[in-house]
Amino acid sequence: MPARPGVVEAVPDGAGVRVWCVRDPDLGVLLHKEALGEGALERIAHEASVLGRLVGVPGVPVLRPSVDPRVLVAVVSDGRLLSDALAERRLSVREVVALGQHLASTLKAVHEAGVAHHGLHPGNVLLVEGGVELVDFALATMTAEVRPGFTHHREILGPLRYLSPEQTGRTGSAVDHRSDLYAVGAVLHEAATGRPPFVEEDAFELLREILTREPTPVTVLDPTLPAALGAVLARLLEKEPDRRYQSAAGLAHDLARIAAGAVAPFALGERDFPGRLTPPTQLVGRDREIGILAAAVDAVADPAGSGDRGPGGVLLVTGGPGIGKSALVGTLRQRVTRRGGWFVSGKADQVVRDSSAGLRSALRGLARLLLAEPPAALERRARELRLRLGSNASVLVAIAPEFAQVLGERAGAAALDEHEGEDRIQQAVVDLLRVVASPSCPIVLFFDDLQWAPPGALDMLDAIVNAPAIDGLLVVGAYRDDDADARLAAVVGGWARSAASTVVRLDPLGVADLAVLLEHVLRLPAGRSAVLAGVLAERTGGNPFDTIELLNSLREHGALVLEEGGWTWDEAAVRHHVGRSDVVALLTTRIENLGPDAVHVLGVMACLGDEVSGTDLAIACATTVEQLVAHLHQPLAAGLVTAARPGRRAAEDVLGQLRFRHDRVQQAAFERLGAPQRRALRAQVGWRLAAAGRRL
């Protein structure tokens, strides 16, 4: 049975659920799951909607009507939890392979239904007659990918021992169905050896192992295990999603070979091809630039410091749209984690020119990291902050309300006039960073799309950069140099002349690197990828984002086809399609093909900015959250929109923060409306949000 009556289990937001089972003479075993605490209704509604999507999928509980909206009721098979079985003994090789086949078969169907589980571990796998059943879809998503934020290691969602590196929010990579395959590898590793891949008890050290250490091969832990099984598990547990199995079908094919008697290693992944075309998680052709960024983090984490400013530093990343600036900076997440530090970020928006939005986002992220510290460490930091901030504590609370909880301040936010406010905000933020950042806890403060930053945001960053040395702080700015106005050019020009600054310019990929990118994305041999790269380069000029979008357009128009042996294409059809239009036009066509409901939602979302909560978007669209989920199904499945999940403490709705995958997608959704329609829609959206007590 999945649980006994009255058992309380942890759930993502730190509240709880009560789980019990009842045997019904007609239906069998009915699992009841009651959510407790804040957000209970939303959590249950989310899991119910996921199970509703999975109706008819074998190996998944069957949703039943419930009279209480806080209680989910589902029919589950009569079986035994895998965790209970593993507590008694390891599984035999035959049993491990069979378990893997059952998990692969079930996940294949779940993934094809547009769902990723994101919480698979032995306690969520029910061993039933003839296979397995997956339970607890509380963390499941119905999106093509999720972008987890950089949260404190105590706040990471899910069972850490079975989470993929990208689910920690430290790699900068999106989380998709391949994280479920990593979890399968961790579960099978434990089933075969009696222990999960990493066994460190301390959460922070366990996190570092997941990010940096290779798990001990199962054939080293037990030399009697077949080498072929060891190779399959090693592939499942690859840290880079691109090096893992790309599909549950590919995993099932290889496990079937082992079940048929294959003992020695064989060529893995012969039938393993991605069903969705996404950029590779490991950047191609950027080794030099990655090295420069890594050195910048290492410099601020060096207690000895260097240069006139001491350990602090400034890093500027420039280049055209879609060239990979944000992805490059994202590589710093893992680097700063290894150094025991934190990564916080904000972003300017091309539509909504709110001078404090990007800064507010970064500061709220920093506040959440502080709140997740152990009580003693948090109190020590709070004392230091209160002492240094003085009366400016209320200024910090005005920008990011979470700091009221950090500081223990009961007073309200400060009310300041415009000029006094700017000076006090700048001083408060500088003082905050001076207390929090240190060589032992370096802080990377990233501000993206500076070309759209309002004057107030630039002034704030300028004040931070030009303040006396802040030990352990690395300020990173990314911008499109071709779109930089005179003000931005003057500001970043001043930073670039600093002894502690580094400027990195990203250029388009050459044809050879573009071919490597295609090898990763399409799983092509070098010869075939080189030919296709030459054709695509004629249109994209080596721009990585444009190349991926063009591939997706080719696929949607049937010029690129996934067959049993891999991706194939007709070169004449590809050349004809490549010459048709630019990337924004291709994105506009993709959006328009989604249907009127999805098009309307994306238009509203574009007016609200790059990122918006699911609750606010539903209000702005004058629809329910349930209807919004339905309207967003195709944009999310197509990867045009992604979701960013907050940590446990963040009181966000179950949809999380929704954002466009790239600025170019927002641009396409916004510009297709036309100026008069945009003005009318923004006014309408503004009234709706204002009526609900929200602001545009």
Side-chain angles (χ1 to χ4, degrees):
M1 300 289 290
R4 298 181 183 88
V7 172
V8 176
E9 301 175 346
V11 295
D13 63 2
V17 292
R18 186 178 295 113
V19 180
W20 69 95
C21 292
V22 176
R23 190 174 296 278
D24 184 278
D26 299 319
L27 298 174
V29 180
L30 289 179
L31 180 143
H32 294 69
K33 183 175 183 179
E34 180 185 12
L36 310 172
E38 185 179 0
L41 287 172
E42 291 81 1
R43 295 198 312 271
I44 289 298
H46 168 71
E47 188 166 0
S49 67
V50 171
L51 292 178
R53 172 77 65 84
L54 295 174
V55 169
V57 174
V60 174
V62 178
L63 188 66
R64 297 293 300 172
S66 174
V67 296
D68 187 341
R70 288 181 174 80
V71 178
L72 180 143
V73 181
V75 179
V76 297
S77 300
D78 198 354
R80 187 184 190 198
L81 286 176
L82 176 61
S83 55
D84 291 341
L86 294 182
E88 295 180 359
R89 66 175 180 87
R90 291 164 48 186
L91 302 187
S92 67
V93 171
R94 181 183 60 79
E95 290 172 322
V96 170
V97 174
L99 173 63
Q101 288 180 290
H102 294 318
L103 288 172
S105 175
T106 300
L107 284 176
K108 177 178 181 293
V110 168
H111 293 165
E112 287 176 348
V115 172
H117 191 281
H118 291 324
L120 195 152
H121 61 86
N124 283 343
V125 177
L126 195 60
L127 301 176
V128 301
E129 184 177 354
V132 298
E133 191 164 284
L134 300 183
V135 297
D136 193 357
F137 282 79
L139 296 180
T141 64
M142 295 181 285
T143 68
E145 60 183 40
V146 176
R147 294 273 177 181
F150 189 105
T151 57
H152 198 284
H153 59 272
R154 298 173 186 273
E155 299 295 298
I156 294 172
L157 297 174
L160 196 54
R161 293 187 190 280
Y162 305 91
L163 291 189
S164 64
E166 62 270 21
Q167 285 177 283
T168 68
R170 265 66 176 172
T171 68
S173 299
V175 176
D176 56 27
H177 66 281
R178 293 174 294 184
S179 289
D180 285 347
L181 299 178
Y182 180 97
V184 170
V187 168
L188 296 182
H189 188 289
E190 182 172 356
T193 66
R195 48 165 278 184
F198 302 106
V199 295
E200 174 62 52
E201 292 295 330
D202 179 79
F204 181 70
E205 291 303 321
L206 176 59
L207 179 63
R208 289 214 282 199
E209 286 192 338
I210 291 169
L211 291 171
T212 63
R213 268 196 53 205
E214 296 299 327
T216 303
V218 295
T219 51
V220 172
L221 296 173
D222 183 354
T224 66
L225 293 173
L229 178 60
V232 167
L233 296 189
R235 187 181 179 104
L236 283 168
L237 293 171
E238 285 281 2
K239 299 194 182 300
E240 290 293 336
D242 299 337
R243 298 173 62 86
R244 258 176 245 152
Y245 281 96
Q246 301 301 292
S247 65
L251 170 62
H253 180 267
D254 286 354
L255 287 173
R257 293 187 63 177
I258 298 176
V263 176
F266 52 84
L268 300 178
E270 289 182 344
R271 300 290 174 84
D272 184 36
F273 299 99
R276 195 170 66 90
L277 302 181
T278 59
T281 53
Q282 194 151 19
L283 298 185
V284 173
R286 305 301 191 198
D287 291 349
R288 181 186 69 86
E289 292 85 354
I290 290 172
I292 293 172
L293 268 64
V297 170
D298 292 344
V300 301
D302 178 7
S306 59
D308 296 335
R309 283 177 47 87
V314 182
L315 180 66
L316 296 171
V317 180
T318 74
I323 207 67
K325 301 182 293 297
S326 303
L328 177 66
V329 176
T331 64
L332 291 178
R333 293 170 180 246
Q334 188 166 344
R335 192 79 181 187
V336 76
T337 297
R338 292 178 185 175
R339 289 289 195 165
W342 296 340
F343 181 103
V344 294
S345 63
K347 183 181 185 301
D349 191 271
Q350 60 185 311
V351 175
V352 181
R353 299 301 180 93
D354 183 343
S355 62
S356 61
L359 173 65
R360 190 186 309 118
S361 175
L363 292 180
R364 294 185 71 183
L366 189 56
R368 286 193 286 263
L369 287 164
L370 287 167
L371 286 170
E373 288 275 75
L378 175 59
E379 178 54 32
R380 186 181 70 252
R381 298 260 207 184
R383 282 197 305 268
E384 293 179 51
L385 282 170
R386 287 193 294 265
L387 182 62
R388 182 173 287 275
L389 288 168
S391 62
N392 282 344
S394 58
V395 175
L396 207 55
V397 173
I399 306 171
E402 290 87 347
F403 275 103
Q405 190 176 352
V406 172
L407 297 167
E409 293 291 312
R410 295 181 181 176
L416 306 169
D417 65 54
E418 182 178 350
H419 298 295
E420 179 192 21
E422 287 182 4
D423 292 340
R424 290 185 64 184
I425 289 172
Q426 290 174 9
Q427 187 60 54
V429 173
V430 168
D431 287 341
L432 166 68
L433 294 171
R434 200 176 298 283
V435 169
V436 177
S438 68
S440 61
C441 181
I443 303 293
V444 172
L445 174 60
F446 174 41
F447 204 99
D448 203 1
D449 285 320
L450 285 173
Q451 75 277 357
W452 296 319
L458 286 179
D459 290 343
M460 182 72 257
L461 287 172
D462 199 39
I464 295 171
V465 170
N466 290 308
I470 301 177
D471 291 358
L473 175 68
L474 177 63
V475 177
V476 184
Y479 64 98
R480 302 178 185 179
D481 43 5
D482 290 344
D483 294 334
D485 59 19
R487 179 180 178 83
L488 176 60
V491 171
V492 298
W495 300 349
R497 288 189 291 273
S498 166
S501 71
T502 304
V503 181
V504 176
R505 175 175 174 79
L506 287 182
D507 295 315
L509 298 177
V511 175
D513 285 331
L514 206 60
V516 175
L517 184 145
L518 295 179
E519 287 178 37
H520 286 289
V521 174
L522 299 176
R523 291 295 196 268
L524 294 175
R528 295 188 69 210
S529 67
V531 174
L532 184 58
V535 176
L536 298 184
E538 296 174 11
R539 165 57 60 184
T540 68
N543 183 291
F545 177 83
D546 292 2
T547 299
I548 299 299
E549 286 309 309
L550 186 52
L551 284 176
N552 278 303
S553 180
L554 289 168
R555 180 188 178 188
E556 289 180 3
H557 285 81
L560 185 67
V561 179
L562 180 59
E563 297 180 345
E564 188 176 271
W567 291 96
T568 63
W569 63 90
D570 178 86
E571 188 169 330
V574 169
R575 287 188 179 277
H576 173 73
H577 188 78
V578 162
R580 290 175 60 186
S581 54
D582 63 20
V583 166
V584 173
L586 292 175
L587 285 167
T588 301
T589 300
R590 289 186 68 192
I591 290 171
E592 290 174 343
N593 289 339
L594 297 175
D597 290 334
V599 167
H600 174 68
V601 169
L602 293 185
V604 172
M605 185 174 168
C607 291
L608 292 171
D610 171 71
E611 181 176 314
V612 62
S613 76
T615 298
D616 283 353
L617 184 56
I619 293 170
C621 292
T623 187
T624 65
V625 171
E626 291 75 19
Q627 289 173 323
L628 180 67
V629 169
H631 296 339
L632 279 174
H633 169 57
Q634 286 186 292
L636 288 166
L640 296 173
V641 174
T642 66
R645 273 187 162 166
R648 299 172 199 268
R649 293 176 184 265
E652 303 284 355
D653 57 276
V654 293
L655 279 174
Q657 292 292 112
L658 298 167
R659 61 180 61 164
F660 288 101
R661 183 166 68 85
H662 194 273
D663 300 324
R664 309 284 279 283
V665 182
Q666 182 187 8
Q667 179 186 349
F670 190 69
E671 291 182 352
R672 69 167 298 280
L673 294 172
Q677 190 179 358
R678 288 198 296 266
R679 285 194 296 270
L681 185 58
R682 294 198 74 189
Q684 188 179 55
V685 164
W687 280 111
R688 288 171 180 167
L689 290 172
R694 310 275 180 150
R695 71 173 189 172
L696 181 61

